[in-house]
Every structure is written in structure tokens, then in C-alpha cells.
Amino acid sequence: MWNKRGIRMPESAEVVSHHGDEFQIDVSMPLDEDGYLGRQCPECSMSFRMNGEDYKALLDKLELWCVYCGQHQAHSEFMTDQQRERMLRAAGDLGTQIVSQALGDVFRGFSRGSSHPSSVSLSISYKEKPYYPRPLPGIDEERLARVRTCAGCQVRYAVFDEHRFCPVCGLLPAVLVAFDALQAETARLNALNAVPNEAKAVLREQGVYTRSWVDTIENVVGVVEGLASSVFKAAVTDAADRLRGKGNVFQRLDDMADLFVATGYGDVRGILGPESWQRLVETWAARHVFTHNDGIVDEKYLRKVPTSSAQVGRRLVISEASCRRAVEDSTSLCTALAELTVGY
């Protein structure tokens, strides 16, 4: 379109103001086919999306959080590479025409004058031509992988990796982070099952399946530990005093349960029942063996799991089924921990 100075801008770009040598242009950014706008963190360079309608409703001076690393800056800093290329193309079109107009002004005011008898006269000519900007580059991004709605601000956003922050509210609640992590473990187990049979044989021979199952056992313990710590510290005013000298109490199941009971809260062992709790004890014992002893069974493991057929000095064998049970039991425990302090 044309503005007052005769500048022609491509579709979706417009010169909205001009003061002296300063121009302001607006360049619209198309949404993806699901109606989401791409955002890219200026710190970690990872991308996420925000619902276009929700984004427009936000304040102009809004600061965003990177959903992955937590970088907190003005929303204009979260431009994606494709959006930046689109913006620079529009700015380049404007700059080309400004330079062209400036040259035209120079040559319109140029007078040849007379040449000195002992000098050689050279001439230069310049002809202005209409400028026709090329269409702006489009935005071509991968399909949405996972859409979330923040329980706090209700903003809809999409992520492509493990995340810890809402783009508007910031740090997510610990319980949401925990359940996301447990769902990710199930998704990984499902993905390994979906591998073609030929590839499965290679992965199994190289120990990938066993290593992944071990990782699941270690990860679920870490998830419960993180949530229990967050819930306790949020609910107990003198948490620091009660935790002093207890070491990593949230990594020890019965000690963690006793800590909540001693503070006046319910006993998660009773909430889950003896069978579920014993399976969790076995999972925690297996995690200790793999983390600290490369999976070699010791006396401590057998004291925790007296019904085990494993023997001291041999390597513990785990299975996909045991990992899935560990995820289910840990999900039940996280649910109990999240509800433990409700109403107190």
C-alpha cells in the first residue's frame, strides 16, 4: 500500500508513523493453522506457541516467560527466526525506497555548471523507477505437539518439550510439573513399544530398553521427592526447622511419610494401602541399587524387599511391566501428597 511519502509496502506491512528520519512500521504475523503464534526464547532459542486470541488480549507492555528455561523479558524479544526474517524483509523494502527517494532528491537539485578549460567534464545520470516489493516470506512451523491451558491465567499455549513455566504467570505449580513428568515416563515407554521390530532387536541388544527402564525407576523417585518437598515447605511454616539435620528425607519413603504425620497431616501409607506402599518401597530400593551400586543387589535391598528372589552380588533385573506399575503407584502417591494438606 502507499503512504503519504509514496512508499509502497508489501501486503501485511504498513508504515504507521513518520517523524523526520524515524519510521514506524507494523508487520502482521500470520498464525499457524491452529490459530497459534510462534514465540522463541532469546536465551535458550527453544520455541513455543501462544493462542492468537489470548495473545492479542494481553497488555502491549506484557513481559513473557520462556516456558522451558524461565527467561523473563518483553514479549517483543520472543520473535521467532521466521518472524524476524519477515520483519527484516519489510524493513529492507522501506530502506530501499528511502534511499531511492533520497538519491532522487539529490539529482533533482544537481546542476551541471561550467567546466574549466583545463579539466575534463564527466556526467552521471540517475533515473527513478517504481519500486514493487516482493511478498513477505510466510511462516511455516511444525504442527502443535501439546496444548496446555494455564490454570491460573487461562492462557492457552503449546509446548514441544518438558517445561516448567507458563508464558504469562511464570513458574508452574509443583503438582502440575510432577504429573507432567510422570506422563512423560509413560509416553517414553509407549514410544519404545512403537519402534519397528527390526530396530527393537538392535536396541535391546545394546541395552537401550533396560537403560530406559532404569531411568524410569530413577525418575519417578525424583518426581515424588520434588513434589513432597514442595508440598511440605508450602504447608508447614516452620519447615526449615523441622528439616534441619534430616538430610534428604523426601527421598526416603517411610521417613517422608513419618515427617508429614509428625507435622499433623495424614499418613499417605494408609491412604494408598499396604500393597501399593510395598510396591513403592521396592521401587525405591531398586532405584538405590541402580543409582549407587550399578544394579548389584546388596543386603540393604534384601532387607527392604524380603520376598525378592534376588541374591547378593547379582544384578537386579527389572521389566517394562514393573516400570509401568512404578509410574502408576507414583502417580497415586503424588495425588495423595497433593491432597494431603487440603483443608488444613
Side-chain angles (χ1 to χ4, degrees):
M1 62 178 297
W2 293 87
N3 74 354
K4 294 179 180 180
R5 285 177 54 89
I7 299 293
R8 184 188 293 272
M9 297 297 290
E11 186 178 355
S12 300
E14 178 183 7
V15 177
V16 294
S17 68
H18 167 226
H19 303 286
D21 294 332
E22 181 178 334
F23 289 80
Q24 179 181 345
I25 61 174
D26 277 355
V27 180
S28 65
M29 298 295 170
L31 306 178
D32 67 16
E33 56 190 355
D34 297 296
Y36 280 70
L37 175 72
R39 301 281 77 188
Q40 184 174 349
C41 176
E43 178 65 23
C44 69
S45 299
M46 295 180 67
S47 297
F48 57 99
R49 309 266 179 83
M50 295 182 66
N51 178 273
E53 293 181 359
D54 295 348
Y55 188 82
K56 290 178 182 178
L58 300 173
L59 297 175
D60 292 338
K61 296 183 179 180
L62 174 77
E63 292 187 344
L64 294 181
W65 298 79
C66 171
V67 298
Y68 309 110
C69 74
Q71 179 72 4
H72 189 211
Q73 287 186 229
H75 70 93
S76 58
E77 298 298 320
F78 285 80
M79 193 179 300
T80 69
D81 291 337
Q82 293 185 57
Q83 291 168 352
R84 185 172 292 104
E85 180 184 359
R86 184 176 171 90
M87 181 70 76
L88 291 176
R89 172 74 67 80
D93 286 335
L94 174 62
T96 297
Q97 293 176 82
I98 291 174
V99 171
S100 177
Q101 288 187 359
L103 286 173
D105 293 342
V106 168
F107 279 93
R108 278 192 292 273
F110 178 78
S111 60
R112 180 176 299 177
S114 58
S115 61
H116 193 277
S118 62
S119 66
V120 177
S121 177
L122 299 177
S123 64
I124 183 171
S125 62
Y126 174 79
K127 181 179 180 180
E128 290 187 72
K129 296 181 179 179
Y131 183 82
Y132 299 98
R134 294 170 295 169
L136 296 179
I139 305 294
D140 182 19
E141 297 176 318
E142 63 178 305
R143 285 299 306 270
L144 300 186
R146 186 158 52 123
V147 174
R148 306 299 302 269
T149 299
C150 177
C153 67
Q154 300 301 309
V155 163
R156 292 164 288 180
Y157 62 97
V159 298
F160 300 88
D161 207 326
E162 186 177 51
H163 74 295
R164 293 289 183 271
F165 301 85
C166 163
V168 177
C169 296
L171 190 63
L172 293 172
V175 63
L176 180 59
V177 171
F179 288 135
D180 272 358
L182 292 171
Q183 289 171 6
E185 293 302 323
T186 298
R188 179 169 60 166
L189 293 172
N190 293 341
L192 285 174
N193 272 340
V195 172
N197 290 331
E198 307 79 41
K200 277 185 180 179
V202 176
L203 295 177
R204 186 177 295 108
E205 185 274 330
Q206 293 179 339
V208 172
Y209 280 88
T210 298
R211 185 66 260 172
S212 180
W213 296 336
V214 170
D215 288 345
T216 294
I217 295 298
E218 293 178 337
N219 290 343
V220 297
V221 173
V223 170
V224 172
E225 175 190 353
L227 179 60
S229 176
S230 296
V231 169
F232 186 82
K233 292 175 182 177
V236 180
T237 55
D238 60 341
D241 293 333
R242 291 180 177 273
L243 294 174
R244 190 171 293 112
K246 295 186 181 297
N248 198 354
V249 64
F250 298 108
Q251 202 173 80
R252 306 189 298 271
L253 270 181
D254 282 301
D255 289 347
M256 178 266 290
D258 289 339
L259 179 66
F260 276 97
V261 172
T263 317
Y265 295 105
D267 192 337
V268 290
R269 288 167 293 205
I271 296 173
L272 297 181
E275 291 185 7
S276 179
W277 188 258
Q278 181 55 36
R279 287 197 302 269
L280 285 167
V281 169
E282 294 175 7
T283 297
W284 261 240
R287 176 262 174 197
H288 187 274
V289 166
F290 280 104
T291 300
H292 300 287
N293 206 27
D294 191 33
I296 303 301
V297 176
D298 55 15
E299 292 287 353
K300 183 176 182 179
Y301 176 83
L302 292 180
R303 286 196 300 271
K304 291 287 186 179
V305 193
T307 59
S308 173
S309 61
Q311 298 181 28
V312 173
R314 295 185 181 179
R315 199 162 193 268
L316 187 65
V317 176
I318 58 175
S319 65
E320 177 189 349
S322 64
C323 287
R324 290 188 181 275
R325 283 196 300 271
V327 173
E328 293 172 1
D329 291 333
S330 297
T331 300
S332 298
L333 178 53
C334 285
T335 300
L337 287 169
E339 296 175 349
L340 199 60
T341 58
V342 176
Y344 284 82

